[in-house]
Amino acid sequence: MTVSPDRPRAAAEGTDPVLDLASTPPTEQRNPRTTDIDLLPTPAVLALLHAEDALVPAAVAPVLGPLSAVVDEATVRIRRGGRVHYFGAGSSGRIAVLDATELAPTFSLAPGIVVAHLAGGDDAMERAVEGAEDDVASGAADAAGVTADDLVIGLSASGRTPYVAGALTAAAARGAFTAVVTCNPGSPLRSLARVAMVADTGPEAIAGSTRLKATSALKLILNSFSTGLMVRLGKTYSNLMVEVTATNDKLRVRKLRILREASGTDEFACEAALTEADGDLRVALAALLAGVGAERARQALATADGNVRGALAALGVAPTVG
């Protein structure tokens, strides 16, 4: 969904809907299904919490269309040198930091390509930083490094976090592609982004505790975004990761197992291919599947932007399903 990157009309008239706390967002309302939760035995308490959590995937499903557009836009921008920025506060921001941090060890993504900005800085990962999420100017300042080549995703469960508003406004002013993820269908942040992804999770089991359903929804959306982005960037072959950085024994074993599963060859051949490829799993895989040496496989990957299937096509190997 494309909308104007300008601030809402109310802001121009002197009333900022992001800072206006008169209305209660759905994530803050009381849940009629859990009013007696404190009177129930522990198994029943946990059953209620689980039942509420089970509603999250259905709330995320309507987001997949706009999310697909954001993944494709991010792919184009990264390929031409841009970056992806997440902005969030509290639980939303911590989920963003977790998602961005995991991409380097999981997919060998170079540092700085997907960056998370948390209101209050690094200290806010472990303890609340008073007033950080209410600071519009701080959000704008944290977005100072955003360029027109970048894509920015603001995350706000309540849909009215001033820090995120400041970041989205500053990013839009710099020409970046902006998107917002929220659990509030009436969020004023929607008018600050080109694309709004709204997972309407409703009231939490415990009123106001958005670290529950709302944050779970944001985590599902971000996980899908970043994983979809890695697939589009060619960091998988079939449903296997092919850019694993072997920093410990577990990952070294995983690397060899992936190569065996993808190539169908024995462990000896896979170890030899990895050695010839200087440990590069994609090069070893392309070499084994195409029956060529590591150097030729490396050249084919270079012409295919690192995509294994593209490299195989360049080497004259017919595409396979596996």
Side-chain angles (χ1 to χ4, degrees):
M1 178 176 61
T2 303
V3 296
S4 168
D6 297 332
R7 295 299 302 273
R9 182 185 301 276
E13 296 172 352
T15 301
D16 191 334
V18 176
L19 298 176
D20 179 9
L21 303 182
S23 62
T24 304
T27 54
E28 305 286 337
Q29 295 170 6
R30 291 186 69 184
N31 190 326
R33 295 181 293 274
T34 60
T35 52
D36 293 333
I37 194 170
D38 60 332
L39 302 176
L40 300 174
T42 301
V45 169
L46 298 180
L48 275 179
L49 293 174
H50 179 69
E52 291 299 312
D53 286 341
L55 302 174
V56 173
V60 170
V63 169
L64 300 183
L67 180 59
S68 175
V70 176
V71 169
D72 288 343
E73 184 69 30
T75 302
V76 170
R77 287 172 178 263
I78 287 176
R79 287 202 183 282
R80 68 187 188 206
R83 300 190 295 166
V84 171
H85 299 262
Y86 299 153
F87 289 90
S91 296
S92 301
R94 294 184 187 100
I95 286 295
V97 171
L98 177 63
D99 188 82
T101 302
E102 286 292 329
L103 296 180
T106 305
F107 292 102
S108 296
L109 186 70
I113 294 179
V114 176
V115 186
H117 306 268
L118 174 62
D122 293 342
D123 289 343
M125 277 298 292
E126 296 185 7
R127 62 184 65 85
V129 177
E130 295 298 330
E133 71 177 72
D134 297 330
D135 195 338
V136 175
S138 176
D142 285 353
V146 172
T147 73
D149 293 326
D150 297 343
L151 184 142
V152 168
I153 300 177
L155 298 110
S156 174
S158 69
R160 59 182 190 185
T161 307
Y163 171 83
V164 174
L168 287 173
T169 301
R174 290 178 171 81
F177 187 99
T178 53
V180 64
V181 181
T182 181
C183 295
N184 180 2
S187 168
L189 296 178
R190 296 179 66 171
S191 62
L192 303 182
R194 294 195 200 181
V195 175
M197 294 171 279
V198 183
D200 187 2
T201 52
E204 297 286 359
I206 305 298
S209 184
T210 54
R211 71 181 183 85
L212 299 174
K213 285 193 302 183
T215 300
S216 294
L218 266 55
K219 185 178 190 301
L220 285 179
I221 293 168
L222 269 195
N223 280 175
S224 294
F225 166 77
S226 59
T227 304
L229 178 60
M230 295 302 101
V231 171
R232 290 278 75 86
L233 290 175
K235 292 184 174 292
T236 63
Y237 172 78
S238 181
N239 59 352
L240 299 169
M241 296 183 297
V242 290
E243 284 200 59
V244 180
T245 301
T247 56
N248 56 44
D249 289 340
K250 178 188 74 174
L251 293 177
R252 279 186 281 273
V253 171
R254 178 184 296 171
K255 200 170 185 178
L256 188 59
R257 183 175 65 248
I258 288 172
L259 187 55
R260 290 180 62 187
E261 290 181 0
S263 67
T265 54
D266 60 38
E267 186 170 346
F268 179 79
C270 288
E271 288 179 341
L274 275 173
T275 299
E276 186 183 359
D278 296 324
D280 191 318
L281 181 54
R282 290 180 306 165
V283 173
L285 178 57
L288 285 173
L289 292 177
V292 299
E295 186 55 35
R296 190 173 172 195
R298 187 175 286 108
Q299 292 171 357
L301 282 163
T303 64
D305 290 324
N307 185 285
V308 173
R309 291 195 191 275
L312 293 176
L315 291 167
V317 178
T320 59
V321 176

